[in-house]
Amino acid sequence: YEQFCPEWKFVEERAEEIIESVHLQPGMKILDVACGSGAETTALAIMGYEIAGVDFSPAMINIAKRISSEKKANVEWRVGDMCQLSEYEKYDLVMLRDVIFGVFDHQTNLDVLGKLFNAVKKGGWLLLEVYNKKVALEKNNIEGFLSYNPVNNRFEGAFEKKTVEGNVITDFASN
């Protein structure tokens, strides 16, 4: 269990970085997809956010529940598959972090991206951490959805309209 819970000071710093990157206000709703041990998820709950964490692994969700229980944080934990995400405009922030994006074939990656976008409220944010920008840019053509900012070393974009047809994004605007 301890191997899945990094030093808490680091976890809090990481949660602060997330808050600052998307200008979150306390009380906003967050979904952490592929949350793993849920350490940052728990820290965000402690900081006043309404948050849900979902992970494919029941074992990781059990670890997440233990961490949040020890920290007395209120988090909605769910075992689930990001490929089956079906929420629509429910969250101010949807996060998919830590090397998970891009593990599927091209079409499945696009389908997952569409499901993530659909879960975000109008005016909300999708925080997508991509460690392998070459794969994200070339294999998944993510730059059609977001633009890569080399100064900040991250993908950025604002989203106006999202629709899904056959689980694929068909209408999308960004600036």
Side-chain angles (χ1 to χ4, degrees):
Y1 152 76
E2 285 75 20
Q3 69 190 15
F4 296 106
C5 187
E7 182 181 326
W8 195 252
K9 182 175 175 21
F10 172 77
V11 171
E12 289 174 324
E13 289 171 0
R14 181 69 180 113
E16 287 290 341
E17 288 174 9
I18 292 167
I19 292 166
E20 290 173 13
S21 70
V22 296
H23 314 290
L24 289 176
Q25 301 300 315
M28 287 183 157
K29 293 181 76 169
I30 302 171
L31 176 64
D32 190 357
V33 179
C35 64
S37 69
E40 286 92 0
T41 317
T42 297
L44 288 163
I46 292 168
M47 294 173 178
Y49 298 94
E50 186 179 332
I51 191 161
V54 61
D55 199 276
F56 189 74
S57 167
M60 293 307 286
I61 290 297
N62 286 336
I63 291 167
K65 286 178 179 178
R66 185 170 167 191
I67 292 170
S68 65
S69 176
E70 287 178 5
K71 297 290 183 181
K72 297 181 179 22
N74 185 19
V75 180
E76 176 193 338
W77 298 112
R78 300 190 311 244
V79 173
D81 183 348
M82 73 177 85
C83 296
Q84 304 301 318
L85 190 64
S86 63
E87 294 164 291
Y88 187 74
E89 293 188 4
K90 184 174 179 182
Y91 298 97
D92 298 291
L93 169 65
V94 173
M95 306 186 299
L96 180 64
R97 303 169 299 111
D98 295 333
V99 303
I100 231 32
F101 182 76
V103 299
F104 304 113
D105 64 83
H106 177 68
Q107 187 58 54
T108 304
N109 287 329
L110 291 178
D111 291 349
V112 167
L113 194 57
K115 290 175 184 302
L116 297 172
F117 283 132
N118 281 335
V120 178
K121 291 178 182 177
K122 287 184 177 27
W125 291 83
L126 170 63
L127 177 60
L128 180 65
E129 274 186 356
V130 180
Y131 290 126
N132 188 339
K133 60 185 177 225
K134 179 178 168 58
V135 170
L137 289 169
E138 294 174 7
K139 180 181 174 202
N140 293 299
N141 193 27
I142 195 171
E143 209 157 32
F145 303 102
L146 303 169
S147 59
Y148 180 70
N149 180 337
V151 173
N152 294 331
N153 194 29
R154 69 183 194 184
F155 291 93
E156 299 174 335
F159 315 106
E160 296 171 7
K161 186 174 181 186
K162 312 173 295 288
T163 60
V164 171
E165 195 170 285
N167 295 331
V168 180
I169 296 171
T170 58
D171 187 9
F172 184 81
S174 68
N175 57 8

